[in-house]
């Protein structure tokens, strides 16, 4: 199975901050990498797909990039509604696997 | 508006069976693969498996942790996918989500709200 790791596991930030979350795959997954946001007691919501494509309806302050097996999600200016947990997920091969999550806290 | 809704979650004893439903609306359900995920309390997300659309034979793929115990079926006339769970174990306790898989990319673009399955004696 492809293992996904994320760092940091949690971070504290303020409104307006630039936030970067990193995800690493245990093997080459090309750009088959998606990012999801999850708030407590809610289903995940897709933010980015194919590493760098913004899902329709998602604010442009979210962006993604890829370099080899390393991927980043950047929030350019953190907003109050962005405090949540973020997961990366590889869709290169089954079983589709997720990173352990990064909790963004105030 | 695209919507997915899971139902059927319950408290069940180990070794018993349970069937969950995932009902879609607001889109042509038959055109899409449907994936299932689960999230144990306070834990991360785990992919359970998927059922393809009929154009791809309605084939199914399962995670190793549920293979031979769980199965999917779909009734496109009712826009429903079923998750049949047999021989349930305490470690199957989780919120179960269904999600639509995108047509062009393997991304889960719409999710249901989840249904809780608790396996306990």
């Amino acid at each position: 199975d492809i293992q996904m790791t994320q760092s940091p596991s949690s971070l504290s930030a303020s409104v307006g901050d630039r936030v970067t979350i990193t995800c690493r795959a245990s093997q080459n997954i090309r750009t088959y990498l998606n990012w999801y946001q999850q708030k407590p007691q809610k289903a995940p919501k897709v933010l980015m797909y194919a590493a760098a494509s913004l899902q329709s309806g998602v604010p442009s302050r979210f962006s993604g990039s890829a370099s080899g097996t390393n991927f980043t999600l950047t929030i350019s200016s953190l907003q109050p509604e962005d405090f949540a947990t973020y997961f990366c997920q590889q869709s290169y091969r089954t079983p589709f696997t997720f990173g352990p999550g990064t909790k963004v806290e105030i | 508006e695209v919507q997915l809704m899971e139902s059927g979650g319950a408290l069940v004893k180990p070794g018993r069976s349970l069937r969950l439903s995932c009902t879609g609306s607001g889109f042509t359900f038959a055109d899409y693969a449907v994936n299932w995920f689960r999230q144990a309390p306070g834990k991360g997300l785990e992919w359970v498996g998927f059922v393809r659309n009929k154009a791809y034979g309605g084939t199914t793929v399962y995670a190793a942790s549920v293979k031979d115990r769980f199965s999917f079926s779909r009734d496109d006339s009712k826009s429903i996918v079923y998750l049949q769970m047999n021989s349930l174990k305490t470690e199957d306790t989780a919120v179960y989500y269904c999600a639509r898989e995108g047509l062009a990319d393997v991304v889960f673009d719409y999710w249901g709200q989840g249904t809780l399955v608790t396996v306990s004696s």
Side-chain angles (χ1 to χ4, degrees), chain B residues 88-121:
Chain B
L88 281 161
K89 305 176 181 181
T90 55
E91 52 263 41
D92 295 320
T93 294
V95 174
Y96 284 73
Y97 297 100
C98 64
R100 189 184 83 165
E101 184 177 314
L103 290 177
D105 295 275
V106 184
V107 61
F108 311 113
D109 57 1
Y110 288 91
W111 295 62
Q113 84 288 352
T115 188
L116 176 62
V117 173
T118 302
V119 185
S120 175
S121 54

Side-chain angles (χ1 to χ4, degrees), chain B residues 54-119:
Chain B
K54 287 294 194 314
Y56 286 87
T59 54
T60 55
V61 177
Y62 302 94
S65 58
V66 304
K67 198 174 186 295
D68 300 327
R69 298 188 300 122
F70 289 12
S71 63
F72 307 127
S73 61
R74 62 187 300 157
D75 183 346
D76 290 334
S77 69
K78 297 180 180 178
S79 298
I80 297 179
V81 165
Y82 299 103
L83 167 54
Q84 177 68 42
M85 302 185 292
N86 299 327
S87 304
L88 281 161
K89 305 176 181 181
T90 55
E91 52 263 41
D92 295 320
T93 294
V95 174
Y96 284 73
Y97 297 100
C98 64
R100 189 184 83 165
E101 184 177 314
L103 290 177
D105 295 275
V106 184
V107 61
F108 311 113
D109 57 1
Y110 288 91
W111 295 62
Q113 84 288 352
T115 188
L116 176 62
V117 173
T118 302
V119 185

Side-chain angles (χ1 to χ4, degrees), chain A residues 34 36 38 42-43 46 91 96, chain B residues 39 47 97 105-108 112:
Chain A
N34 306 316
Y36 299 85
Q38 187 178 33
K42 297 292 187 182
V46 61
S91 55
F96 300 136
Chain B
Q39 189 168 33
W47 175 79
Y97 297 100
D105 295 275
V106 184
V107 61
F108 311 113

